[in-house]
Amino acid sequence: MPDLPVSPLVSTTELRALLAREPRPVLLDVRYRLGGPPGGPLHEAGHVPGAAYVDLDRDLAAPPGAGGRHPLPDSATFLAAMRAAGVRTDRPVVVYDDWSGHAAARAWWLLRHHGHGDVRVLDGGWSAWVAEDGEVETGPVVPEPGDLDGEPGHMPVVEADGVLDVGVLVDARAPERYRGEVEPVDPVAGHVPGAVNVPTARNLTEDGRFRSREELAEVYAGVGAVPGAHVAAYCGSGVTACLDVLALELLGVSAALYPGSWSGWITDPDRAVEVGG
C-alpha cells in the first residue's frame, strides 16, 4: 500500500511517549454512550492524567431538530468549548473515549473540520489505557484555556440535497438497522436509497482497536470505497459515521460526512427510503 500521512490514530505506547516530553499533547476525554450513563462522573472517577472532559451532547452537537439528533454544533460554541478544554493551535491533540472510538472520532472530525492539523484518536481508548496499566488520575480537570480559532470547511461534508449524487454512500449502522428490520432509535426504518452498508464494527477487532490497513482496505474495496472514488458516510445521527470516515482516512480515502445522517434524512417525508439489501 502507498505511504500515507501521519496516522490519525495513536497507540497507548505512543501516547505514553508523548506524555513524557514537552510540550505534552492536549488530552480530551469524550466518554459517551447513547442511552448510557453520563461521561462526566466517569471522567472524575478516573482519566488519563491531564485529560479534560468534553461533553458530546453539549460541546460536539447542536440541539436535535431538522438536522437530525446530533447536528453539527455552531462553530462559536464548539471553538469556545475546545478553548475551555485547553486546545491550542500549536499543540497536538489526543482524543479518547470508552466506546471504541465512536465519540472520539466525532471530536477528531470536528477539530480537523475547523483546521487543527494534528489530532489523533487513542486506539482502543480508555479500556486499552487501563488494560495496559496506564497511569490514572481522578477528580476534575481545569486546564489552562487554549487559543483554538478557525473556520469550518477543512473536511468534506455532503448535505441532504447532494446525498443521492454520491458515488459510494456508506451507511455505518448495524446491518439490521440498515436493512430496516429493526429501528430502536428513529421513527422510520430503512436506509438512504443506493447506500451500501459498512457497520462501524467492521473497522475494529474484538478488543476495540482498529484493524490493520490491509484488512480495512479489503472491507472498503468490497463496496467501492477506494482512493479516487467519491465517498461519503452517514449513520443514525452523524456521530458514529465519523469512525468510518477515520477508517477511510487511514486508507487515503477522503470521505465526506453527511452530518444529518438517517435521523436528518427522515425529517422530510418526501425523501425516499429503501429497505432490505
Side-chain angles (χ1 to χ4, degrees):
M1 298 180 69
D3 291 335
L4 297 173
V6 174
S7 173
L9 298 177
V10 62
S11 70
T12 53
T13 300
E14 290 168 331
L15 180 55
R16 279 192 178 92
L18 290 172
L19 294 177
R21 60 177 185 255
E22 296 293 339
R24 286 163 52 100
V26 176
L27 297 175
L28 302 180
D29 181 332
V30 197
R31 273 182 271 184
Y32 172 90
R33 289 176 187 264
L34 183 63
L42 296 175
H43 170 264
E44 291 200 17
H47 51 262
V48 179
Y53 176 65
V54 173
D55 185 285
L56 188 148
D57 286 325
R58 181 190 65 217
D59 302 329
L60 306 182
R69 285 185 280 109
H70 287 112
L72 296 184
D74 171 83
S75 285
T77 300
F78 170 71
L79 291 169
M82 293 300 99
R83 289 193 292 269
V87 177
R88 303 186 59 84
T89 56
D90 61 351
R91 289 176 62 188
V93 180
V94 174
V95 192
Y96 72 90
D97 62 21
D98 60 348
W99 190 24
S100 300
H102 292 81
R106 171 73 165 217
W108 165 83
W109 188 91
L110 279 165
L111 284 163
R112 290 282 307 279
H113 189 48
H114 284 80
H116 199 299
D118 191 353
V119 188
R120 285 180 275 179
V121 170
L122 178 60
D123 197 14
W126 175 245
S127 298
W129 184 258
V130 172
E132 296 177 15
D133 298 321
E135 185 181 353
V136 174
E137 179 182 72
T138 60
V141 174
V142 182
E144 180 180 343
D147 64 357
L148 183 68
D149 199 5
E151 295 289 335
H154 296 265
M155 294 288 277
V157 172
V158 62
E159 299 295 353
D161 58 1
V163 164
L164 297 180
D165 297 324
V166 173
V168 182
L169 180 61
V170 175
D171 184 318
R173 296 174 300 162
E176 61 272 18
R177 290 184 69 192
Y178 166 80
R179 294 191 296 264
E181 296 167 358
V182 299
E183 183 45 66
V185 185
D186 294 306
V188 178
H191 59 264
V192 177
V196 294
N197 188 213
V198 182
T200 57
R202 294 196 67 190
N203 298 314
L204 306 170
T205 61
E206 290 184 0
D207 64 359
R209 288 177 169 86
F210 272 80
R211 296 188 182 279
S212 69
R213 283 171 54 194
E214 290 73 19
E215 291 172 308
L216 291 171
E218 183 176 356
V219 167
Y220 284 99
V223 297
V226 296
H230 181 202
V231 182
Y234 77 92
C235 55
S237 68
V239 173
T240 61
C242 293
L243 196 79
D244 276 15
V245 173
L246 191 155
L248 287 158
E249 175 112 342
L250 287 165
L251 303 176
V253 178
S254 181
L257 176 70
Y258 171 28
S261 286
W262 182 246
S263 60
W265 181 260
I266 60 174
T267 58
D268 184 344
D270 292 332
R271 292 179 186 143
V273 170
E274 276 188 356
V275 295

